[in-house]
Amino acid sequence: YLWQQRRDKRYPQGAPLTIEIGSLPEGKLLAVDWAGKSVWVLRRSPQELVTLASNEAQLLDPQSEKSLQPPACRNSNRSIRPDVFVAIGVCTHQGCIPVLQSGQGFACPCHASRYDLAGRVFKGGPAPANLVIPAYRFADENRLVVGES
């Protein structure tokens, strides 16, 4: 995946951060450092969005009722726009960093928790909740702002 790091005095920790996503291709994950956390931005393909509905019986919290996300992301895609997924890239079990498995979701290498492409956790692993979705908004079609709703 792609990685951008912002360690600049102009961007105090936790201040809103604008992320350019116009050139992010489908299936690619962009990781950005924000507020001391890795924030993921994934451009999902139409095919990947179709697979989200087929996973629901296998998920611990398919409707994200017990998970942290802004109200605008309380939907089956867990996003404001279906094609763009934004999440904190930290496993909800013990804080390890899950890895993207092309078109399938995320897998935590530490204790085998698995998440779908909406960050919803599968049953059977130790993670107790879906991935956290930070507050964010779209500034325009190609830019999103993390840390603001």
Side-chain angles (χ1 to χ4, degrees):
Y1 58 85
L2 308 171
W3 175 257
Q4 286 184 357
Q5 190 170 18
R6 300 277 176 132
R7 298 217 189 263
D8 188 321
K9 291 181 182 177
R10 294 175 295 167
Y11 299 99
Q13 187 164 328
L17 176 65
T18 301
I19 303 170
E20 171 62 45
I21 61 166
S23 62
L24 184 62
E26 286 181 358
K28 290 294 181 187
L29 180 70
L30 173 65
V32 179
D33 184 62
W34 171 75
K37 299 174 184 136
S38 178
V39 172
W40 291 345
V41 182
L42 174 66
R43 174 91 59 178
R44 297 180 289 204
S45 70
Q47 297 87 353
E48 290 170 334
L49 291 169
V50 169
T51 65
L52 292 178
S54 65
N55 294 335
E56 291 197 359
Q58 304 166 37
L59 300 170
L60 189 61
D61 183 15
Q63 303 305 315
S64 298
E65 295 168 357
K66 301 173 189 162
S67 301
L68 298 174
Q69 67 267 316
C73 297
R74 193 171 290 278
N75 54 54
S76 61
N77 298 321
R78 296 189 76 221
S79 60
I80 296 171
R81 266 180 34 194
D83 64 320
V84 179
F85 174 63
V86 179
I88 303 294
V90 176
C91 181
T92 58
H93 175 231
Q94 289 189 342
C96 294
I97 307 297
V99 293
L100 177 62
Q101 297 179 315
S102 183
Q104 299 175 10
F106 305 96
C108 182
C110 296
H111 302 104
S113 291
R114 294 181 317 119
Y115 302 87
D116 71 0
L117 292 172
R120 300 177 299 179
V121 68
F122 284 92
K123 296 174 185 174
N130 297 339
L131 294 177
V132 173
I133 309 296
Y136 74 96
R137 66 176 178 82
F138 283 91
D140 58 39
E141 184 70 20
N142 296 313
R143 294 180 306 142
L144 63 89
V145 180
V146 176
E148 287 184 350
S149 8

